[in-house]
Amino acid sequence: MSEISNQSAAPQLNGILETALYVADLERAAAFYEQLFGFARLLDEERMIALKVSQSPCQVLLLFLKGASTEGADVPGGHIPGHDGAGRVHFAFAVQESDIEVWRQRLKGQNIEIISEVRPPQGGLSLYFRDLDGHLAELAAPRIWQLD
């Protein structure tokens, strides 16, 4: 990989469009996220399911069957190179701080254990739990990060 020059600024990014998780059972994982969050399916294939996290800005949670994408895939318009992942990854969904208690109750109502809570000094709160594949999911009030 070549070294990136610091002489010119990179064009602005608009956010993260996709987050990918690699799961043992696609239907089981999709049902978990659909039931807990109400995500709608955008794409449903043998090797992956795409779930709509939010409309604006568009954010997508990709669920890939472990090992099913290592060779890449020809798709209309091109080729997606092979990829895969292993281990328990971490990701966070942004939630309104005023909704944290509602989320706490929703997790409890679905028998999902909150394994940790963090209150950073700058404010906000994060609730941590694991999905069915052991990935560490976080519900976080965005001010946990000081971005100014």
Side-chain angles (χ1 to χ4, degrees), residues 19-61:
T19 297
L21 298 176
Y22 298 87
V23 300
D25 183 319
L26 274 178
E27 279 302 322
R28 178 186 75 150
F32 175 84
Y33 287 100
E34 290 167 333
Q35 183 177 14
L36 180 58
F37 296 107
F39 295 161
R41 290 187 191 199
L42 297 172
L43 182 68
D44 189 338
E45 296 181 347
E46 184 177 312
R47 68 183 186 92
M48 70 169 288
I49 293 175
L51 301 172
K52 181 171 69 172
V53 174
S54 74
Q55 186 69 30
S56 180
C58 181
Q59 297 172 12
V60 180
L61 178 63

Coordinates of all heavy atoms in Angstrom, one line a residue, residues 19-61:
T19 N -22.3 -1.5 8.0 CA -21.5 -2.2 9.0 C -21.8 -3.7 8.8 O -23.0 -4.1 8.6 CB -22.0 -1.8 10.4 OG1 -21.7 -0.4 10.6 CG2 -21.3 -2.6 11.5
A20 N -20.8 -4.5 8.8 CA -20.9 -5.9 8.5 C -20.6 -6.8 9.7 O -19.7 -6.5 10.4 CB -20.0 -6.3 7.3
L21 N -21.5 -7.8 9.9 CA -21.3 -8.8 10.9 C -21.3 -10.1 10.2 O -22.0 -10.4 9.3 CB -22.4 -8.8 12.0 CG -22.6 -7.5 12.8 CD1 -23.8 -7.6 13.7 CD2 -21.3 -7.2 13.6
Y22 N -20.5 -11.1 10.7 CA -20.4 -12.4 10.2 C -21.1 -13.3 11.2 O -20.7 -13.3 12.4 CB -19.0 -12.8 9.9 CG -18.4 -11.8 8.8 CD1 -17.8 -10.6 9.1 CD2 -18.5 -12.2 7.5 CE1 -17.4 -9.8 8.2 CE2 -18.1 -11.3 6.5 CZ -17.5 -10.1 6.8 OH -17.1 -9.2 5.9
V23 N -22.1 -14.1 10.8 CA -22.9 -14.8 11.7 C -23.0 -16.3 11.3 O -22.8 -16.7 10.1 CB -24.3 -14.2 11.7 CG1 -24.3 -12.8 12.2 CG2 -25.0 -14.3 10.4
A24 N -23.3 -17.1 12.3 CA -23.4 -18.6 12.0 C -24.7 -19.0 11.3 O -24.8 -19.9 10.6 CB -23.3 -19.3 13.4
D25 N -25.8 -18.2 11.6 CA -27.1 -18.6 11.0 C -27.8 -17.3 10.6 O -28.2 -16.4 11.4 CB -27.9 -19.3 12.1 CG -29.3 -19.7 11.7 OD1 -30.0 -19.0 10.9 OD2 -29.7 -20.8 12.0
L26 N -27.9 -17.1 9.3 CA -28.5 -15.8 8.8 C -29.9 -15.5 9.3 O -30.2 -14.4 9.7 CB -28.5 -15.8 7.2 CG -27.2 -15.4 6.5 CD1 -27.4 -15.5 5.0 CD2 -26.8 -14.0 6.9
E27 N -30.7 -16.5 9.1 CA -32.1 -16.2 9.5 C -32.3 -15.9 11.0 O -33.0 -15.0 11.4 CB -33.0 -17.4 9.1 CG -33.4 -17.5 7.7 CD -34.2 -16.2 7.3 OE1 -35.0 -15.7 8.0 OE2 -34.0 -15.8 6.1
R28 N -31.5 -16.6 11.8 CA -31.6 -16.4 13.3 C -31.1 -15.0 13.6 O -31.7 -14.3 14.4 CB -30.8 -17.5 14.0 CG -30.7 -17.3 15.5 CD -29.7 -18.3 16.1 NE -28.4 -17.9 15.8 CZ -27.3 -18.1 16.6 NH1 -27.5 -18.8 17.7 NH2 -26.1 -17.6 16.2
A29 N -30.0 -14.6 13.0 CA -29.4 -13.3 13.3 C -30.3 -12.2 12.8 O -30.6 -11.2 13.4 CB -28.0 -13.2 12.6
A30 N -30.9 -12.4 11.6 CA -31.8 -11.4 11.0 C -33.0 -11.2 11.9 O -33.5 -10.1 12.2 CB -32.2 -11.7 9.6
A31 N -33.6 -12.3 12.3 CA -34.8 -12.3 13.2 C -34.5 -11.5 14.5 O -35.3 -10.8 15.0 CB -35.3 -13.7 13.5
F32 N -33.3 -11.7 15.1 CA -32.9 -11.0 16.3 C -32.9 -9.5 16.1 O -33.5 -8.8 16.9 CB -31.5 -11.5 16.7 CG -30.9 -10.7 17.9 CD1 -31.2 -11.1 19.2 CD2 -30.0 -9.7 17.7 CE1 -30.7 -10.5 20.3 CE2 -29.5 -9.0 18.8 CZ -29.8 -9.4 20.1
Y33 N -32.3 -9.0 15.0 CA -32.2 -7.6 14.8 C -33.6 -7.0 14.3 O -33.9 -5.9 14.7 CB -31.1 -7.3 13.8 CG -29.8 -7.4 14.4 CD1 -29.0 -8.5 14.2 CD2 -29.3 -6.4 15.3 CE1 -27.8 -8.7 14.8 CE2 -28.1 -6.6 15.9 CZ -27.3 -7.7 15.7 OH -26.1 -7.9 16.3
E34 N -34.3 -7.8 13.6 CA -35.7 -7.4 13.1 C -36.6 -7.2 14.3 O -37.3 -6.2 14.5 CB -36.3 -8.3 12.1 CG -35.6 -8.3 10.8 CD -35.9 -9.4 9.9 OE1 -36.3 -10.5 10.4 OE2 -35.8 -9.3 8.6
Q35 N -36.5 -8.2 15.2 CA -37.4 -8.2 16.4 C -37.0 -7.1 17.4 O -37.9 -6.4 17.9 CB -37.4 -9.5 17.1 CG -38.4 -9.6 18.3 CD -38.4 -11.0 18.9 OE1 -37.6 -11.9 18.6 NE2 -39.4 -11.2 19.7
L36 N -35.7 -7.0 17.7 CA -35.3 -6.0 18.7 C -35.4 -4.6 18.2 O -35.9 -3.7 18.9 CB -33.8 -6.3 19.1 CG -33.2 -5.3 20.1 CD1 -34.0 -5.3 21.4 CD2 -31.8 -5.7 20.4
F37 N -35.0 -4.3 16.9 CA -35.0 -3.0 16.4 C -36.0 -2.6 15.4 O -36.2 -1.4 15.0 CB -33.6 -2.7 15.8 CG -32.5 -2.7 16.8 CD1 -31.6 -3.8 16.8 CD2 -32.3 -1.7 17.8 CE1 -30.5 -3.9 17.7 CE2 -31.3 -1.8 18.7 CZ -30.4 -2.9 18.7
G38 N -36.7 -3.6 14.8 CA -37.7 -3.3 13.8 C -37.1 -3.0 12.4 O -37.7 -2.4 11.6
F39 N -35.8 -3.5 12.2 CA -35.2 -3.2 10.9 C -35.9 -4.0 9.8 O -36.4 -5.1 10.0 CB -33.7 -3.7 10.9 CG -32.8 -3.0 11.9 CD1 -31.6 -3.6 12.3 CD2 -33.1 -1.7 12.4 CE1 -30.8 -2.9 13.2 CE2 -32.3 -1.1 13.2 CZ -31.1 -1.7 13.6
A40 N -36.0 -3.3 8.6 CA -36.6 -4.0 7.5 C -35.5 -4.5 6.6 O -34.4 -4.0 6.5 CB -37.4 -2.9 6.7
R41 N -35.8 -5.6 5.9 CA -34.8 -6.2 5.0 C -34.8 -5.5 3.7 O -35.8 -5.2 3.1 CB -35.2 -7.7 4.7 CG -35.0 -8.6 5.9 CD -35.2 -10.0 5.5 NE -35.3 -10.8 6.8 CZ -35.1 -12.1 6.9 NH1 -34.8 -12.8 5.8 NH2 -35.1 -12.7 8.0
L42 N -33.6 -5.2 3.2 CA -33.4 -4.5 1.9 C -33.0 -5.6 0.9 O -33.2 -5.4 -0.3 CB -32.3 -3.5 2.0 CG -32.5 -2.3 3.0 CD1 -31.2 -1.5 3.1 CD2 -33.6 -1.5 2.4
L43 N -32.3 -6.6 1.4 CA -31.8 -7.7 0.5 C -31.7 -9.0 1.3 O -31.4 -9.0 2.5 CB -30.4 -7.3 0.0 CG -29.7 -8.2 -1.0 CD1 -30.4 -8.2 -2.3 CD2 -28.2 -7.8 -1.2
D44 N -32.1 -10.0 0.6 CA -32.1 -11.3 1.3 C -31.6 -12.4 0.3 O -32.3 -12.7 -0.7 CB -33.6 -11.7 1.7 CG -33.6 -12.9 2.6 OD1 -32.7 -13.7 2.6 OD2 -34.6 -13.0 3.3
E45 N -30.3 -12.8 0.5 CA -29.7 -13.7 -0.4 C -29.1 -14.9 0.4 O -29.1 -14.9 1.7 CB -28.5 -13.1 -1.1 CG -29.0 -12.0 -2.1 CD -27.8 -11.4 -2.8 OE1 -26.6 -11.6 -2.4 OE2 -28.0 -10.6 -3.7
E46 N -28.7 -15.9 -0.3 CA -28.1 -17.1 0.4 C -26.9 -16.8 1.3 O -26.8 -17.4 2.3 CB -27.7 -18.1 -0.7 CG -27.2 -19.4 -0.2 CD -26.9 -20.4 -1.3 OE1 -27.7 -20.5 -2.2 OE2 -25.8 -21.0 -1.2
R47 N -26.1 -15.8 0.9 CA -24.9 -15.5 1.6 C -25.0 -14.3 2.5 O -24.1 -14.1 3.4 CB -23.7 -15.4 0.7 CG -23.8 -14.1 -0.2 CD -22.6 -14.0 -1.1 NE -22.7 -12.8 -1.8 CZ -22.1 -11.7 -1.4 NH1 -21.3 -11.7 -0.3 NH2 -22.2 -10.6 -2.1
M48 N -26.1 -13.5 2.4 CA -26.2 -12.3 3.2 C -27.6 -11.8 3.2 O -28.4 -12.0 2.4 CB -25.3 -11.2 2.6 CG -25.8 -10.6 1.3 SD -25.0 -9.1 0.7 CE -25.6 -7.9 1.8
I49 N -27.8 -11.0 4.3 CA -29.1 -10.3 4.5 C -28.7 -8.8 4.8 O -27.8 -8.6 5.7 CB -30.0 -10.9 5.6 CG1 -30.5 -12.3 5.1 CG2 -31.1 -9.9 5.9 CD1 -31.3 -13.0 6.2
A50 N -29.3 -7.9 4.1 CA -29.1 -6.5 4.4 C -30.3 -5.9 5.1 O -31.4 -6.1 4.7 CB -28.8 -5.7 3.1
L51 N -30.1 -5.2 6.3 CA -31.1 -4.6 7.0 C -31.0 -3.1 7.1 O -29.9 -2.6 7.3 CB -31.1 -5.1 8.5 CG -31.2 -6.7 8.6 CD1 -31.0 -7.1 10.1 CD2 -32.6 -7.1 8.2
K52 N -32.1 -2.4 6.9 CA -32.1 -0.9 6.9 C -32.1 -0.5 8.4 O -33.1 -0.7 9.1 CB -33.3 -0.4 6.2 CG -33.3 1.2 6.1 CD -34.4 1.7 5.2 CE -35.7 1.5 5.7 NZ -36.8 2.1 5.0
V53 N -31.1 0.2 8.8 CA -31.0 0.8 10.2 C -31.7 2.1 10.3 O -32.4 2.3 11.2 CB -29.5 0.9 10.6 CG1 -29.4 1.6 12.0 CG2 -28.8 -0.5 10.6
S54 N -31.4 3.0 9.3 CA -32.1 4.3 9.3 C -32.2 4.7 7.8 O -31.5 4.3 7.0 CB -31.3 5.3 10.1 OG -30.2 5.7 9.5
Q55 N -33.2 5.6 7.7 CA -33.5 6.2 6.3 C -32.5 7.3 6.0 O -32.0 7.4 4.9 CB -34.9 6.6 6.3 CG -35.4 7.1 4.9 CD -35.4 5.9 3.9 OE1 -35.7 4.8 4.3 NE2 -35.2 6.2 2.6
S56 N -32.4 8.2 6.9 CA -31.6 9.4 6.6 C -30.7 9.8 7.8 O -31.2 10.1 8.9 CB -32.6 10.6 6.3 OG -31.8 11.8 6.0
P57 N -29.4 9.7 7.7 CA -28.7 9.2 6.5 C -28.9 7.7 6.4 O -29.1 7.0 7.4 CB -27.3 9.6 6.7 CG -27.1 9.6 8.2 CD -28.5 10.0 8.7
C58 N -28.8 7.2 5.2 CA -29.0 5.7 4.9 C -27.9 5.0 5.6 O -26.7 5.3 5.5 CB -29.0 5.5 3.4 SG -29.2 3.7 3.1
Q59 N -28.3 4.0 6.5 CA -27.3 3.2 7.2 C -27.8 1.7 7.1 O -29.0 1.5 7.3 CB -27.2 3.6 8.6 CG -26.6 5.0 8.8 CD -26.7 5.5 10.2 OE1 -26.9 4.7 11.1 NE2 -26.5 6.8 10.4
V60 N -26.9 0.8 6.8 CA -27.3 -0.6 6.5 C -26.5 -1.5 7.4 O -25.2 -1.3 7.5 CB -27.1 -0.9 5.0 CG1 -27.5 -2.3 4.8 CG2 -27.9 0.0 4.2
L61 N -27.1 -2.5 8.0 CA -26.4 -3.5 8.7 C -26.4 -4.8 7.8 O -27.5 -5.2 7.4 CB -27.1 -3.9 10.0 CG -26.5 -5.0 10.9 CD1 -25.1 -4.7 11.3 CD2 -27.4 -5.3 12.1

